[in-house]
Amino acid sequence: MSKIQIDLGDITRLDCDAIVNAANKTLLGGGGVDGAIHRAAGHELLNECRTLGGCNTGEAKITKGYKLKAKYVIHTVGPIYSGKDSDATNLANCYKNSLDLAKKYDVHSIAFPAISTGVYHYPLEDATKIAIATVDTWLKNNSDYDMTIIYSCFDTKTYNMYKAYLKL
Ligand code: ADP
């Protein structure tokens, strides 16, 4: 099995150790992938999220997956696109911090949505390049650790973008 995969469809149906949620700072749910994850995981997810005290942009927090196939949900907060240099750093930190946290919890397969590219309006091509470069660097720096990456793409535009840059 390849270490890096692309999946077209709903992240909540994936059978992996952890799925990543593109959350907002409150961690109390929202629209897009956040809403889908909360609906699929059930209300217990929100109860646990209430105990976390929110999350800053670029950081990540972990909960159980409840009704999901995934054991864990890693909640990370992407930048709201503003065009500043800090956007790229914050977006890269989402991927890096999610992976660091995943490793701490012995996660060996993790699915990422295209963080910030929905209502947070990060340009898709730039966001895809940052995601792939950051994950590749992490995998290189953690080459002794077995981690499978799944890029979860909800639409064909995103799927084709990842496909082009991953050259799979
Ligand atoms: P953000 O606020 O970080 O932009 P969004 O949820 O609005 O988060 O969008 C992030 C990405 O997640 C977009 O590409 C969107 O199409 C995608 N998305 C929405 N629902 C799902 C889902 N159920 N599974 C996977 N990706 C999803």
Side-chain angles (χ1 to χ4, degrees):
M1 194 163 65
S2 165
K3 259 180 110 65
I4 298 179
Q5 302 165 23
I6 325 178
D7 182 79
L8 177 61
D10 184 357
I11 199 170
T12 64
R13 70 187 214 299
L14 294 178
D15 192 359
C16 50
D17 293 342
I19 64 171
V20 175
N21 181 15
N24 58 50
K25 282 184 177 180
T26 70
L27 298 186
L28 299 180
V33 69
D34 196 1
I37 289 172
H38 275 271
R39 277 193 299 279
H43 69 275
E44 282 173 300
L45 177 61
L46 182 58
N47 289 344
E48 186 175 356
C49 283
R50 284 202 179 99
T51 68
L52 298 177
C55 184
N56 288 324
T57 305
E59 293 180 1
K61 294 198 177 176
I62 193 164
T63 64
K64 287 185 265 184
Y66 299 99
K67 289 183 183 163
L68 295 166
K69 285 183 192 149
K71 188 173 179 196
Y72 298 109
V73 179
I74 293 175
H75 307 260
T76 188
V77 182
I80 298 171
Y81 188 71
S82 67
K84 291 184 197 147
D85 290 348
S86 56
D87 292 342
T89 312
N90 284 329
L91 186 61
N93 282 340
C94 287
Y95 287 92
K96 184 189 176 293
N97 288 327
S98 294
L99 287 164
D100 285 344
L101 190 54
K103 186 177 174 182
K104 257 189 215 158
Y105 280 77
D106 201 35
V107 163
H108 289 278
S109 54
I110 184 169
F112 284 98
I115 300 165
S116 284
T117 67
V119 297
Y120 282 3
H121 291 301
Y122 211 112
L124 179 61
E125 187 165 8
D126 292 346
T128 303
K129 287 196 250 182
I130 290 166
I132 291 171
T134 308
V135 168
D136 282 353
T137 300
W138 191 92
L139 291 174
K140 269 192 205 106
N141 290 339
N142 293 271
S143 55
D144 56 336
Y145 188 85
D146 175 33
M147 181 72 98
T148 295
I149 307 290
I150 302 157
Y151 289 110
S152 167
C153 303
F154 200 51
D155 52 45
T156 50
K157 189 178 163 205
T158 305
Y159 183 85
N160 289 333
M161 188 65 78
Y162 273 87
K163 213 172 160 192
Y165 279 97
L166 285 166
K167 299 173 196 80
L168 292 180

